[in-house]
């Protein structure tokens, strides 16, 4: 067989595999939350419900790649989960009533699915759970990730992640965290908690902290999917729209973010023709919708900053005055050192690198362990002709940075 | 005059099943409780579930924030306790947030 023939087969094989994996991911994403939601409602025990759903997803992972995805994957998963739950609960006399419910559940009509999913998301993101547990539970129960996948995404061992999930599920059951949608004045702070989880998930996928892949499309895309689900379920929440817009505007630049060698390409150097214009337009449209609700917030402001960048024809022709105003407004709502660092970059264009460097140096105590603090200093020092100091800062950044694409960029600049 | 006695340390049912010495110790605490209940000295008291089930409400600049876990700082003295019977954790947390006296740890009670 000729080499080209072989490479063609490999290509076809790997493509098929990727296609199956992508299809599986899409099914899990679509079905997991509905399934867990329905199971929690029928069984009334989050722990058991989540466990049987996870078991049926694992069964699908074993069977579907060989046998193909069934016509009605949701029904297949539901049947598998019900059988597993009946097996599990039969052993326990206390659950006789639940078993009867489960046996009947096959013929009951479809549940109010939107409510089920919302209740599930709010339960997983309950502020009485540690945020890392909220993220893990949301990925598992709502997006259908396996424990192994979540462990890989957050750079911890599988037993550690399994332990974290078990502990969180136990707390839901033992402390009686309610399975319901918050109402009245509680809603907005609880929505904030959900958005924080989705934002964290997105950031980890968009620019991984770890030494593995530079970008995990799945995590970022699943966060985007969850955010868009939330906008459909809570269309009147401006910050939900703002976060979805922010995610879309960032993902729209994906193709320009890494070069052929896998090196990170920073915004000033990106080929803007590679940006996805339709996605950008969609993001901007979402921001307009959010603004119409007249409830500004941090995600809308960050989305607006991303939109100004997205609509600029080049780095030099960016509306820096607008961006600095948006950062100032953002700082009034959430004053964090990282936002100050980002504002300083815009300020270096609007005012001067000296002014920006002064502001950045003020952040040394809070951001000394953050590689982007040192990388930003290096860029500013370069512009000021301080090559030696820039090199020092870049070396510190390299020491603190694990992402391979960003490391490649730093290493090249050091040469 | 009334006192609240807060006992340090938690012992799960699994711990007791594993270790007969712990089981015996637990037995002694149950007996101690029963005796003092009978004499009328104890008017209310509960065994709490483990610290991993606790949620703490902390006030930062007057704003209540939830933290997953029990009080951390050892200097924090528990000044009293109220036994509440409510629907779920959210309702208990609502009460804790309206407490005018400082930080509150919310712990579910073991259902015997």
């Amino acid at each position: 067989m000729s080499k080209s023939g072989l490479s063609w087969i490999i290509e076809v094989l790997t493509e098929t595999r990727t296609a199956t994996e992508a299809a599986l991911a899409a099914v899990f994403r679509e079905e997991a939350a509905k399934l867990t939601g329905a199971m929690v409602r029928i069984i009334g025990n989050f722990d058991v419900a989540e466990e049987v759903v996870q078991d049926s997803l694992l069964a699908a992972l074993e069977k579907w790649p060989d046998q193909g995805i069934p016509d009605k994957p949701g029904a297949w998963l539901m049947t598998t989960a019900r059988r597993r739950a009946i097996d599990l609960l039969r052993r326990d006399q206390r659950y006789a009533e639940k078993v009867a419910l489960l046996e009947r559940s096959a013929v009951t009509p479809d549940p109010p699915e939107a409510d089920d999913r919302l209740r599930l998301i709010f339960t997983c993101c309950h502020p009485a759970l540690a945020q890392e547990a909220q993220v893990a539970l949301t990925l598992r129960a709502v997006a259908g990730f396996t424990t192994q996948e979540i462990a890989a995404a957050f750079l911890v061992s599988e037993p550690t992640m399994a332990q974290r999930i078990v502990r969180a599920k136990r707390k839901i059951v033992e402390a009686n965290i309610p399975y319901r949608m918050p109402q009245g004045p509680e809603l907005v702070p609880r929505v904030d908690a959900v958005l924080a989880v989705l934002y964290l998930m997105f950031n980890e996928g968009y620019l991984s902290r770890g030494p593995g892949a530079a970008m995990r499309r799945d995590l970022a895309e699943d966060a985007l999917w969850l955010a868009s689900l939330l906008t459909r379920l809570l269309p009147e929440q401006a910050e939900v729209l703002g976060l979805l817009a922010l995610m879309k505007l960032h993902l729209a630049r994906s193709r320009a973010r890494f070069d052929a060698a896998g090196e990170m390409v920073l915004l000033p150097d990106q080929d803007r023709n590679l940006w996805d214009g339709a996605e950008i337009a969609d993001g901007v449209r979402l921001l307009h919708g959010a603004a119409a609700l007249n409830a500004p917030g941090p995600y809308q402001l960050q989305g607006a900053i991303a939109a100004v960048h997205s609509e600029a024809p080049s780095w030099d022709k960016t509306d820096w005055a607008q961006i600095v105003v948006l950062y100032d407004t953002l700082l009034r709502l959430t004053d964090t050192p990282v936002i100050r660092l980002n504002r300083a970059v815009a300020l270096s264009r609007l005012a001067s690198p000296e002014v920006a460097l002064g502001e950045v140096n003020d952040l040394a105590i809070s951001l000394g362990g953050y590689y982007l603090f040192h990388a930003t200093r290096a860029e500013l020092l370069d512009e000021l002709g301080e090559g030696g100091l820039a090199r020092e800062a870049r070396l510190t950044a390299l020491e603190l940075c694990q992402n391979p694409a960003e490391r490649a960029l730093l290493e090249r600049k050091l040469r | 005059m009334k006192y609240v006695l807060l006992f340090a340390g938690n012992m799960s049912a699994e711990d007791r099943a594993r270790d007969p010495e712990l089981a015996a110790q637990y037995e002694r605490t149950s007996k101690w409780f029963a005796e003092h209940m009978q004499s009328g000295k104890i008017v209310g008291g509960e065994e709490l579930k483990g610290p991993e089930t606790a949620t703490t409400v902390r006030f930062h600049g007057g704003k209540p924030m939830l933290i997953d876990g029990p009080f951390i700082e050892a200097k924090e003295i528990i000044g009293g306790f109220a036994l509440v019977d409510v629907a779920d954790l959210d309702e208990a947390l609502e009460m804790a947030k309206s407490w005018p006296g400082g930080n509150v740890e919310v712990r579910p009670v073991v259902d015997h």
Side-chain angles (χ1 to χ4, degrees), chain A residues 223-250:
Chain A
L224 182 119
W225 177 81
L226 283 170
S228 70
L229 175 68
L230 264 192
T231 59
R232 272 179 277 143
L233 302 177
L234 299 169
E236 299 300 309
Q237 294 290 321
E239 278 292 84
V240 181
L241 293 169
L243 180 60
L244 180 60
L246 176 63
M247 289 177 176
K248 272 185 182 280
L249 290 165
H250 277 297

Side-chain angles (χ1 to χ4, degrees), chain A residues 349-408:
Chain A
R349 313 304 305 178
L350 184 69
S352 71
E354 284 104 324
V355 176
L357 186 63
E359 302 245 328
V360 170
N361 285 341
D362 286 345
L363 303 168
I365 292 170
S366 41
L367 293 182
Y370 183 46
Y371 73 95
L372 281 178
F373 165 77
H374 300 282
T376 307
R377 277 194 78 231
E379 295 294 317
L380 293 171
L381 286 164
D382 265 341
E383 283 187 57
L384 292 167
E386 298 278 3
L389 290 172
R391 190 181 164 77
E392 252 174 60
R394 209 160 265 135
L395 282 169
T396 313
L398 189 62
E399 249 170 59
L400 295 166
C401 173
Q402 288 199 309
N403 183 291
E406 289 182 291
R407 287 187 64 89

Side-chain angles (χ1 to χ4, degrees), chain A residues 19 31 54 116 128 164 175 180 192 213 226 231 274 324:
Chain A
E31 302 296 341
Q54 190 71 196
D116 257 357
R164 190 179 291 171
R180 70 149 181 265
D192 284 347
L226 283 170
T231 59
L274 294 176
V324 171

Side-chain angles (χ1 to χ4, degrees), chain A residues 24 39 41 62 65 136 156 222 242 266 321 377 384 394:
Chain A
L24 273 177
M39 281 292 147
R41 190 165 35 76
E62 272 173 26
V156 299
D222 275 81
L266 296 177
R377 277 194 78 231
L384 292 167
R394 209 160 265 135

Side-chain angles (χ1 to χ4, degrees), chain A residues 242-379:
Chain A
L243 180 60
L244 180 60
L246 176 63
M247 289 177 176
K248 272 185 182 280
L249 290 165
H250 277 297
L251 279 182
R253 298 189 208 133
S254 292
R255 279 197 299 156
R257 293 177 67 222
F258 305 99
D259 68 12
E263 189 182 292
M264 167 133 250
V265 183
L266 296 177
L267 196 52
D269 307 318
Q270 285 178 13
D271 176 359
R272 296 182 179 218
N273 293 318
L274 294 176
W275 292 358
D276 186 335
E279 281 293 291
I280 290 172
D282 213 20
V284 172
R285 188 185 52 77
L286 282 164
L287 281 178
H288 281 295
L293 294 167
N294 209 7
Y299 295 114
Q300 291 168 75
L301 284 162
Q302 290 178 80
I305 292 166
V308 175
H309 279 301
S310 299
E311 291 187 328
S314 69
W315 176 254
D316 286 332
K317 288 188 183 133
T318 304
D319 187 349
W320 296 110
Q322 182 68 60
I323 287 184
V324 171
V325 167
L326 287 167
Y327 271 122
D328 287 340
T329 318
L330 182 58
L331 281 173
R332 277 199 291 278
L333 294 179
T334 40
D335 193 343
T336 73
V338 172
I339 294 174
R340 285 184 173 271
L341 181 69
N342 291 332
R343 179 183 174 276
V345 175
L347 200 63
S348 78
R349 313 304 305 178
L350 184 69
S352 71
E354 284 104 324
V355 176
L357 186 63
E359 302 245 328
V360 170
N361 285 341
D362 286 345
L363 303 168
I365 292 170
S366 41
L367 293 182
Y370 183 46
Y371 73 95
L372 281 178
F373 165 77
H374 300 282
T376 307
R377 277 194 78 231
E379 295 294 317

Side-chain angles (χ1 to χ4, degrees), chain B residues 11-86:
Chain B
M11 199 190 284
S12 69
E14 292 95 78
D15 292 338
R16 297 201 296 278
R18 236 190 338 262
D19 188 341
E21 177 48 39
L22 287 179
Q25 193 193 339
Y26 186 76
E27 204 52 47
R28 287 195 292 277
T29 61
S30 303
K31 204 163 148 247
W32 183 92
F33 247 96
E35 279 168 8
H36 290 290
M37 291 277 271
Q38 217 160 24
S39 71
K41 283 184 184 171
I42 291 179
V43 291
E46 294 287 353
E47 178 188 359
L48 301 181
K49 291 190 182 182
E52 73 279 1
T53 63
T55 307
T56 306
V57 178
R58 280 186 181 276
F59 289 85
H60 290 284
K63 248 186 85 186
M65 288 190 32
L66 303 192
I67 287 153
D68 179 19
F71 286 136
I72 309 160
E73 289 148 53
K75 271 191 226 158
E76 220 139 19
I77 305 164
I78 302 197
F81 86 100
L83 188 61
V84 300
D85 189 2
V86 292

